[in-house]
Amino acid sequence: MIPSAPSTTRIVHAVRLRTNGRGAPLGIDDPMPSFSWQLAAPTPPAEQGGYTIQVAEDGDFDGTLVWDSGHVVGDEQTGVRYAGPPLASCTRYVWRARLHDIGGAASDWSEPADFETGVLDGGRWRASWISGPPVTADDVAALYLRGRLQLPAAVVRGRAYASALGWYRLFVNGTDLTGPALVPRFTPLDKVVEYQAYDVTEHFREGANIVAIAVGDGRYRGRLGVLSRRSVYGTRLAGFVHVELDLADGTSVCFTTDEGWSAGTGRITRCDPKDGEHADLSVPDSDWLTAPSRRTASTPRRRCLRIPAG
């Protein structure tokens, strides 16, 4: 067999598209996300001389185009900011890039990449910060919060946005969605607190559902600094959960933390940045994370209290 001649294409192509440095991110809380890509390796090597970016509401890019950057001269491959009309909250967008070499020749469009915005419009929030009854200064037990939701149909799309004053773990029908992540991350907790976005489509079901959040001291109430001071930012743990569900019957449901949730204690007895997490394994999780079958002295239930956002 006669070997084929090596490729001589010199047009650069965009691969490994990223939004804010991540692939297919969920909950981008940035009105002007940044785009980046890598160059495919043409033979022989070539340089990027320009680019065009398109952002659309779906992968067809026909009739749903949101922004077209036009031909931009430059070799930037990172930090290219979105500059189109305001993006909508909690919406999935698709984008692609076409590159030009230094001679002006254009590549084919890249494979599309997607990202989903977070809550860009603060007026969309419906959740309240909730807590349990007032606690004493030496209380270190985690706060358990739980709400019950009845759904008339299956969920076809679901998102949860959660945060806490303290480290938290979010559960839907007993499934731990947070895992080992120490969230929210450290910010000036007396001024601003992060929230996280979760895809909960597969975790809700038609009928009864339980949403729970366990909140430990974390950096909000735990020991900090060389002097190991406690309660630098506050003494009262709190949770914040905002869930948006699209159902198979065409309706939508917004379920949030409010005074209708229950508060109490549970398996986690301490969650400190220096001392770590302590748990009493004799206390069952099922009483809080799934439909409870009984009440126990270790998991008293009280109505949650709404607390001011500040």
Side-chain angles (χ1 to χ4, degrees):
M1 297 178 62
I2 300 175
S4 61
S7 172
T8 58
T9 179
R10 296 181 58 83
I11 301 177
V12 291
H13 287 75
V15 295
R16 292 183 57 82
L17 276 59
R18 297 289 184 267
T19 307
N20 281 15
R22 293 182 289 163
L26 181 68
I28 291 291
D29 195 355
D30 184 349
M32 298 174 59
S34 65
F35 302 124
S36 63
W37 55 85
Q38 295 181 7
L39 301 183
T43 304
E47 297 180 26
Q48 174 186 309
Y51 60 86
T52 303
I53 293 174
Q54 288 185 341
V55 179
E57 295 178 355
D58 63 43
D60 291 335
F61 292 89
D62 292 328
T64 63
L65 193 64
V66 175
W67 177 57
D68 188 323
S69 70
H71 181 196
V72 179
V73 177
D75 60 0
E76 297 87 0
Q77 300 170 37
T78 62
V80 178
R81 287 283 182 178
Y82 172 81
L87 298 172
S89 294
C90 309
T91 301
R92 177 180 178 268
Y93 292 94
V94 181
W95 71 280
R96 61 184 181 179
R98 169 182 283 166
L99 304 186
H100 307 263
D101 65 19
I102 56 176
S107 71
D108 294 331
W109 287 106
S110 68
E111 290 295 319
D114 64 271
F115 66 94
E116 186 172 309
T117 54
V119 183
L120 301 178
D121 177 9
R124 191 183 183 100
W125 291 118
R126 295 291 180 267
S128 301
W129 284 102
I130 59 171
S131 184
V135 297
T136 61
D138 59 352
D139 189 359
V140 296
L143 170 68
Y144 278 66
L145 304 168
R146 186 188 63 209
R148 300 171 67 99
L149 172 64
Q150 191 78 20
L151 293 177
V155 173
V156 296
R157 180 183 181 276
R159 298 291 184 266
Y161 307 93
S163 190
L165 301 181
W167 283 335
Y168 77 87
R169 292 167 67 189
L170 177 67
F171 302 84
V172 176
N173 292 322
T175 299
D176 182 353
L177 301 181
T178 309
L182 300 178
V183 289
R185 296 180 301 176
F186 197 27
T187 59
L189 295 171
D190 54 344
K191 297 181 176 64
V192 62
V193 182
E194 276 191 339
Y195 71 89
Q196 285 69 47
Y198 301 88
D199 183 347
V200 295
T201 306
E202 301 300 323
H203 303 292
F204 281 91
R205 56 182 176 244
E206 182 178 354
N209 294 267
I210 298 291
V211 181
I213 183 170
V215 186
D217 284 351
R219 296 186 178 98
Y220 181 78
R221 197 176 70 175
R223 299 192 303 139
L224 297 178
V226 295
L227 299 180
S228 296
R229 290 178 54 208
R230 290 195 75 242
S231 304
V232 172
Y233 295 101
T235 60
R236 198 167 187 182
L237 304 177
F240 184 96
V241 181
H242 177 109
V243 178
E244 297 187 2
L245 304 173
D246 295 332
L247 307 185
D249 63 3
T251 62
S252 296
V253 173
C254 183
F255 179 67
T256 66
T257 43
D258 59 22
E259 296 95 331
W261 284 45
S262 300
T265 56
R267 174 175 288 185
I268 301 173
T269 59
R270 174 189 292 268
C271 183
D272 187 86
K274 292 190 174 184
D275 294 337
E277 182 177 291
H278 297 238
D280 183 352
L281 299 184
S282 67
V283 177
D285 270 343
S286 58
D287 191 56
W288 276 102
L289 306 183
T290 57
S293 58
R294 60 186 175 87
R295 293 192 181 190
T296 66
S298 59
T299 56
R301 293 184 204 135
R302 301 187 176 96
R303 283 296 196 192
C304 289
L305 302 178
R306 187 193 302 259
I307 63 175

